[in-house]
Amino acid sequence: MPAADSRDDEFLGHPRGVYVCFFTEMWERFSFYGMKALLLLYLTKYHLFSDTGGLNLLGAYGGLVYCLPVLGGLVADRWLGMRKAVVFGGVLLVLGHLGMAFEGEQARRVGDAVVRDDTALWVFYCSLALIIMGVGFLKPNISVIVGKLYAEDDPRRDSGFSLFYAGINLGAMLASLVCGVLGETYGWKYGFGAAGIGMLAGLAMFLWGQKYLNGAAEPPRPELLRERVMGMPREWAIYLGALLGLAPVAALMWATGSDRFSLDIGVDLTLAQLLMLIVLAVVLSWFARFVLRDCDKRERGQMITLMALIFIALVFYTLYEQTYGSWVVFTDRLLTKDFFPSLVLREGLPLSYFVASTLLLPAAFILSCLWRERSPGSKAPTAIFLLAAAVNLLMIIGMVVLQPQTAGSLTFISGVFILSLAPVFSWLWGWLGRRGRNPGKPFKSVIGLLFGALSFLPLYLAAQAAGDSGTWASVWWLVLAYAVLQVGEICLYPVGLSAVTQLSVARVASLMMGTWFLATAFSELLAAKLGTLASIDDPGAIAEHSAAWASAAATYGDYFLKLTLGGLGCAILAALCLPWLNRGMHGVK
């Protein structure tokens, strides 16, 4: 029986298992975004990759991270079960993130050549492979567990997923503030190591909290795991297959990082980009065949509309993923970093502060659960947890205001706007709905794309300011850009996921959800490819009031203006299609 039916197993109005998933996913996102915030800077500053090389590797990594969950979800659904998949994925993630902490020797220039530590790079590629495979097993299954903790008609279901979504963004925000600062202030290994320790904490949380899942995540048919395949139990065959799969993934990372097996067809394509184009062609071919041969008129209209909404999301996330690419290097090179310079502690906050701020809330949850088990009627556990949450919020504010920021740490801004604006828009849609004026999914998607395009306008103005003055432009331009961008994501992201569940033909619903993830994967690659248009050949030469500074400002300004205009063009085209898209919904709200 799901935990929702047992009031003794609740915490703050939700099953305790939801909080186990909340903190597990928080730590997983902490490790993922902590590493991602540093990745491009690490490649270009420590291993001296070109902007193009670093972006290509970032895109290949991001693309595979969103591809593999499609397979991981299928394996868990058919055989492994969600609990085993999450544990196995967590172990791979811990190993991958800790491997990232191995720096090796810093690259150096000898004449026109760059001499790099090949051993350290191979450890790096293998670590990326471990992370990619780990996310593939963990990410799709932890969210499914949340749904299984509630009865189908439980009114708390939506708020439970909102809570889980808050955990994702809290993890992403903490990751940037902690890993971004540690990596660029204390050393790259400290930032990557913090991400690894965070994932270790997430795995420990999940293992400790399994008892609160009440069997909701067990294998669907345990006897299938005991069947022998290739001379071993199927369960071990799955694990072995995943471990063997690390080799081609690591090789793909090496090929991308080394620019091997690329193809020049007017546009230089890496091996990862070529493979993704093949996958895209296969998916589109299947889709065309399915809607033409296996759908009636209503189903065909809804499926085509769904694919159009997925395409709008692809364009939006191509823009959105610039936040970990061109936005990061632009911030690093041409923007100030601190919000209130007069309040910043020049020596920075002590390392213990970062440790305490990340461990406080999950530690308080564990303490509260143990206390409640010993004293079921006590209100102290709830009070302790809420007090810890308040203290944690103050400590996060302290990190924002008192700690000198870096380009990597400033990626936390997105999490702030998501956590603060999501409840506002949730109320707004409800308020409009009660008056019969809640806009439909196509309109919200178009609005989301519009805001995504407009988010580049503040950065264009920042580049203009930096170029005209010859010195750093204000970080508040970046804050404004994130504010506009996150309004777009809040309009588009929930709509997209909901559309997949409502518009998909039931017999291919899982495949269409996989198509949504594949579109996100393709957007990562496309974002990185677009980012190469703003590559700087010699970023080390950029200095205030120099010709290199003016050239960099002009390059970034031109790039951001092109993305603004391109995004606006796509939004206008999507808006012109709104009547057709609304008809294709066939009454689905």
Side-chain angles (χ1 to χ4, degrees):
M1 183 173 291
D5 296 329
S6 175
R7 300 295 170 182
D8 293 334
D9 196 32
E10 291 183 2
F11 186 74
L12 293 178
H14 289 277
R16 276 186 274 190
V18 171
Y19 292 91
V20 172
C21 294
F22 171 99
F23 285 113
T24 302
E25 182 67 359
M26 185 196 85
W27 283 116
E28 188 273 328
R29 292 291 89 183
F30 177 93
S31 64
F32 175 78
Y33 284 109
M35 191 273 280
K36 194 174 182 182
L38 292 173
L39 187 56
L40 184 57
L41 296 171
Y42 174 63
L43 289 170
T44 55
K45 291 176 137 183
Y46 189 79
H47 288 297
L48 300 184
F49 276 57
S50 66
D51 282 5
T52 298
L55 285 164
N56 283 337
L57 193 55
L58 177 67
Y61 163 74
L64 285 174
V65 156
Y66 283 100
C67 274
L68 267 291
V70 178
L71 297 177
L74 290 173
V75 170
D77 285 344
R78 292 193 63 180
W79 300 299
L80 203 55
M82 290 162 286
R83 180 181 61 82
K84 290 177 180 287
V86 168
V87 171
F88 181 62
V91 171
L92 294 180
L93 280 164
V94 169
L95 295 174
H97 282 294
L98 293 180
M100 292 287 293
F102 178 76
E103 294 178 350
E105 292 186 19
Q106 183 167 359
R108 62 189 186 279
R109 296 187 182 276
V110 179
D112 293 333
V114 177
V115 179
R116 300 187 178 98
D117 186 337
D118 289 335
T119 300
L121 282 174
W122 266 111
V123 172
F124 171 74
Y125 297 137
C126 291
S127 299
L128 287 182
L130 283 163
I131 294 169
I132 290 166
M133 192 67 72
V135 171
F137 276 90
L138 188 146
K139 185 172 177 59
N141 295 300
I142 193 74
S143 55
V144 175
I145 294 174
V146 175
K148 288 184 174 291
L149 292 170
Y150 295 94
E152 287 296 329
D153 58 350
D154 194 322
R156 302 171 300 165
R157 192 181 183 88
D158 287 347
S159 61
F161 272 102
S162 297
L163 181 65
F164 180 71
Y165 186 58
I168 294 174
N169 289 288
L170 179 61
M173 186 172 65
L174 279 172
S176 300
L177 287 168
V178 175
C179 300
V181 167
L182 294 182
E184 292 193 72
T185 304
Y186 289 88
W188 302 106
K189 61 185 177 184
Y190 289 95
F192 291 128
I197 293 171
M199 191 58 239
L200 183 61
L203 180 59
M205 169 65 77
F206 188 78
L207 292 172
W208 171 82
Q210 288 180 87
K211 58 188 174 183
Y212 298 122
L213 302 181
N214 296 335
E218 295 308 303
R221 295 178 61 188
E223 68 276 8
L224 292 180
L225 291 179
R226 294 191 290 270
E227 287 183 356
R228 300 193 73 77
V229 178
M230 296 182 294
M232 67 183 76
R234 188 189 302 275
E235 181 176 355
W236 290 103
I238 291 172
Y239 298 147
L240 179 61
L243 294 176
L244 292 175
L246 294 172
V249 175
L252 184 59
M253 293 296 100
W254 166 80
T256 303
S258 305
D259 197 24
R260 304 295 178 92
F261 311 112
S262 59
L263 179 66
D264 189 353
I265 52 173
V267 177
D268 188 36
L269 297 176
T270 66
L271 181 58
Q273 291 160 354
L274 285 170
L275 292 174
M276 184 57 71
L277 284 174
I278 293 172
V279 171
L280 181 65
V282 170
V283 170
L284 290 177
S285 298
W286 165 83
F287 179 80
R289 180 182 181 278
F290 180 79
V291 297
L292 291 174
R293 295 182 55 179
D294 300 326
C295 294
D296 59 32
K297 183 177 180 180
R298 177 188 175 89
E299 291 174 336
R300 185 177 300 116
Q302 289 183 328
M303 287 286 284
I304 292 174
T305 300
L306 173 58
M307 187 59 81
L309 294 179
I310 290 175
F311 183 76
I312 292 173
L314 187 156
V315 176
F316 174 83
Y317 279 103
T318 298
L319 299 174
Y320 184 92
E321 287 303 326
Q322 298 296 321
T323 55
Y324 289 94
S326 59
W327 286 30
V328 168
V329 290
F330 173 68
T331 301
D332 184 57
R333 294 163 184 172
L334 295 179
L335 294 187
T336 61
K337 311 297 185 292
D338 299 320
F339 303 106
F340 308 104
S342 62
L343 300 178
V344 171
L345 303 174
R346 286 299 113 193
E347 67 278 9
L349 295 167
L351 189 60
S352 57
Y353 188 97
F354 295 96
V355 175
S357 63
T358 52
L359 294 179
L360 178 61
L361 204 57
F365 171 69
I366 293 173
L367 177 62
S368 298
C369 287
L370 295 175
W371 194 324
R372 176 161 291 188
E373 287 174 2
R374 294 193 175 190
S375 305
S378 175
K379 295 183 180 180
T382 301
I384 289 173
F385 182 78
L386 293 177
L387 177 61
V391 172
N392 196 235
L393 176 61
L394 292 175
M395 295 186 76
I396 290 173
I397 294 173
M399 282 193 283
V400 172
V401 175
L402 302 177
Q403 173 65 38
Q405 299 299 317
T406 67
S409 70
L410 287 171
T411 55
F412 86 89
I413 300 172
S414 64
V416 172
F417 282 114
I418 289 176
L419 291 171
S420 57
L421 292 177
V424 175
F425 275 83
S426 179
W427 170 83
L428 175 63
W429 301 141
W431 183 80
L432 290 172
R434 289 190 294 273
R435 287 158 178 76
R437 297 182 179 179
N438 190 11
K441 289 178 173 60
F443 184 81
K444 289 178 182 176
S445 295
V446 172
I447 291 297
L449 181 54
L450 174 64
F451 275 88
L454 291 176
S455 69
F456 287 84
L457 195 55
L459 297 181
Y460 165 72
L461 297 174
Q464 291 286 99
D468 292 342
S469 66
T471 189
W472 310 93
S474 172
V475 69
W476 289 99
W477 288 113
L478 182 68
V479 175
L480 179 58
Y482 268 114
V484 177
L485 181 67
Q486 294 311 144
V487 168
E489 187 183 27
I490 291 169
C491 289
L492 183 142
Y493 179 76
V495 163
L497 289 179
S498 177
V500 172
T501 60
Q502 290 181 288
L503 296 177
S504 295
V505 176
R507 57 188 180 277
V508 294
S510 295
L511 281 174
M512 291 309 295
M513 184 60 77
T515 302
W516 170 272
F517 279 113
L518 288 175
T520 307
F522 191 71
S523 73
E524 293 266 358
L525 286 167
L526 192 56
K529 195 64 185 175
L530 282 176
T532 62
L533 298 177
S535 294
I536 304 296
D537 292 332
D538 186 12
I542 298 175
E544 290 180 89
H545 305 292
S546 67
W549 181 281
S551 175
T555 297
Y556 285 120
D558 182 61
Y559 176 66
F560 293 140
L561 181 60
K562 286 178 178 176
L563 289 184
T564 301
L565 296 177
L568 287 175
C570 291
I572 291 171
L573 181 61
L576 292 175
C577 295
L578 275 175
W580 171 74
L581 292 173
N582 286 327
R583 285 196 301 270
M585 298 289 288
H586 289 284
V588 172
K589 299 297 182 182

